[in-house]
Amino acid sequence: MKLIADFPENYELIDAGGGRKLERWGTVTTIRPEHQAYFGAVLSRKEWNTLADWEFIPKSEGSLQGTWKKLKEKAPESWLFQTSGLTFHLRITTNKHIGLFPEQQVNWEFLSGKLDPSKRFLNAFAYTGAASIFGRRTGAEVIHCDSVKPMLDWGYQNQVESNLDGIKWVHEDALKFIRREVKRGNKYDVVQLDPPAWGLGAKGEKWKLEGLLGTLIEEALQLLSQSGVLILNTYSPKVDSAFIQKITKELGIPGKQIENSELWFKTTSGKELYYGIVTRIYQ
């Protein structure tokens, strides 16, 4: 199934092509690498540079690390971004990410309709916490788990700026935390997993998504309440719908429905850009 995400308020995917994408985040516009943008752009390079405040230059092809080139003298290095009545800190970092994944609008909307003050939500591999913030606004109990301490601090800033409190912040390897929660017998109404394609845990543990995805799904399913929902976001060239279908079939998940959707964004210039797979497993 093809799922087209809507633009969050104040965000715009203006154009894409030539291995890059042009995005407006409130008052700031960026150019970032995007390997899925293998087609030609609609706007010219001159038009991109006229619109953009910053461009990310990767250290090497495909690398998340690199430097940001300032294209406008007064371009801010950090700014506040408002969407759906919530506020998020965005900033120029040492990698291409600036603090938000706007394609996750599809999950923010889902969480806003699924959660309420009687529900519990675990957001694992939670990054800077946009899903945690949307979940907490419903009044639900929210546990935010990430192995990178600066991401927890960033998420806490977003909570404060959005005039919320009460999120429980967990600095831990997500899979280890999930396993401990299973042993404790804890249950959640929604569990969201957004694992990286590869990376390191809180104590330097190596992570490769394709090798650990089956274990991760199997463990996380044990945390679900009877009517609970597991949301899995994957963005990796080695993980597609067929790969996830194979894993879930091998796990033999009884009594559950499994939805796999390809996530896409349409640029305002008319192109379509692929953003990975969203999987939902529920009763």
Side-chain angles (χ1 to χ4, degrees):
M1 184 172 73
K2 190 172 184 178
L3 182 61
I4 305 293
D6 293 326
F7 289 156
E9 180 186 12
N10 290 326
Y11 171 82
E12 183 182 10
L13 180 58
I14 302 169
D15 196 14
R20 300 174 303 142
K21 55 186 175 183
L22 178 67
E23 303 164 278
R24 179 181 62 81
W25 314 80
T27 59
V28 178
T29 299
T30 62
I31 299 171
R32 297 191 293 163
E34 177 51 66
H35 70 274
Q36 290 292 341
Y38 48 79
F39 40 78
V42 174
L43 303 179
S44 68
R45 175 72 191 194
K46 182 178 180 181
E47 289 173 301
W48 279 47
N49 287 346
T50 299
L51 290 169
D53 297 278
W54 292 94
E55 180 176 6
F56 183 77
I57 311 298
K59 239 187 329 189
S60 58
E61 186 176 352
S63 175
L64 291 178
Q65 303 300 313
T67 57
W68 283 91
K69 179 181 178 181
K70 183 181 286 191
L71 300 180
K72 292 182 181 175
E73 184 180 351
K74 295 184 179 180
E77 294 190 8
S78 65
W79 66 99
L80 295 179
F81 174 81
Q82 284 84 26
T83 190
S84 302
L86 299 173
T87 301
F88 300 93
H89 281 264
L90 302 185
R91 60 175 177 256
I92 298 305
T93 67
T94 57
N95 63 48
K96 73 174 186 177
H97 298 306
I98 62 173
L100 202 65
F101 293 106
E103 70 276 7
Q104 290 302 306
Q105 176 271 339
V106 295
N107 288 324
W108 303 339
E109 187 175 301
F110 179 83
L111 291 168
S112 297
K114 187 71 178 177
L115 296 173
D116 61 48
S118 70
K119 303 293 177 62
R120 300 186 80 215
F121 171 43
L122 171 61
N123 186 19
F125 306 95
Y127 191 49
T128 60
S132 302
I133 302 300
F134 274 91
R136 182 59 186 151
R137 186 171 65 175
T138 69
E141 180 183 354
V142 176
I143 291 81
H144 173 115
C145 177
D146 199 277
S147 66
V148 181
K149 183 60 166 60
M151 296 299 102
L152 298 180
D153 298 336
W154 196 337
Y156 180 79
Q157 284 184 312
N158 289 333
Q159 176 184 239
V160 171
E161 288 292 343
S162 294
N163 296 312
L164 294 169
D165 59 19
I167 293 174
K168 297 177 182 177
W169 307 95
V170 178
H171 179 215
E172 179 59 282
D173 175 84
L175 181 55
K176 287 184 178 180
F177 178 72
I178 287 169
R179 283 173 165 162
R180 275 204 290 272
E181 287 291 87
V182 170
K183 288 181 179 178
R184 294 172 184 138
N186 286 331
K187 296 292 182 181
Y188 293 87
D189 300 286
V190 180
V191 174
Q192 175 166 293
L193 309 173
D194 199 350
W198 58 272
L200 298 175
K203 296 182 179 179
E205 305 92 335
K206 291 184 179 180
W207 171 272
K208 285 189 177 180
L209 180 59
E210 63 272 17
L212 288 171
L213 188 56
T215 299
L216 182 61
I217 293 172
E218 185 176 31
E219 295 285 349
L221 284 172
Q222 296 180 64
L223 292 179
L224 294 183
S225 63
Q226 188 172 0
S227 59
V229 181
L230 175 64
I231 303 170
L232 173 67
N233 303 297
T234 51
Y235 186 75
S236 166
K238 296 184 179 181
V239 177
D240 57 12
S241 291
F243 185 90
I244 295 173
Q245 287 170 1
K246 179 177 180 292
I247 286 178
T248 52
K249 184 177 180 180
E250 289 173 350
L251 291 175
I253 305 168
K256 298 286 186 182
Q257 296 187 52
I258 303 170
E259 292 179 354
N260 288 313
S261 302
E262 289 190 353
L263 182 57
W264 293 75
F265 246 141
K266 285 186 177 180
T267 71
T268 52
S269 65
K271 298 289 186 174
E272 290 189 354
L273 197 57
Y274 172 72
Y275 276 85
I277 306 294
V278 176
T279 300
R280 290 176 184 161
I281 304 175
Y282 57 94
Q283 196 69 33

